Amino acid sequence: MDSRRQKTLLIDPGARVRVWCKECGRELSDPISRQRQLGAECDPEPRTGYDRHDVDQDPIPGL
């Protein structure tokens, strides 16, 4: 083989790209934080209530 030929780079296609917070520089693991590139503490938009699911219930008899 030709000794001047560049070696093939092996890149793991399943590896996750590392994302850091724009404000504090910490590495992010939460999917929403990774999309926004802001950690939960640095993000100005509140994150409470996203997973909340209220259900109308019948009253308990006798109360």
Side-chain angles (χ1 to χ4, degrees):
M1 285 186 73
D2 189 5
S3 62
R4 295 176 292 156
R5 188 171 180 179
Q6 184 178 2
K7 292 183 180 181
T8 305
L9 291 174
L10 299 176
I11 300 172
D12 182 12
R16 197 167 81 174
V17 176
R18 297 173 79 179
V19 179
W20 288 271
C21 178
K22 288 188 228 177
E23 294 291 323
C24 65
R26 290 190 294 171
E27 187 172 359
L28 303 174
S29 59
D30 179 53
I32 295 173
S33 296
R34 292 171 57 84
Q35 287 176 346
R36 296 180 181 179
Q37 295 182 350
L38 287 170
E41 297 84 15
C42 300
D43 194 354
E45 291 185 31
R47 295 190 182 192
T48 58
Y50 284 109
D51 296 323
R52 188 173 173 173
H53 182 72
D54 293 329
V55 179
D56 291 333
Q57 295 181 349
D58 294 330
I60 299 174
L63 290 181

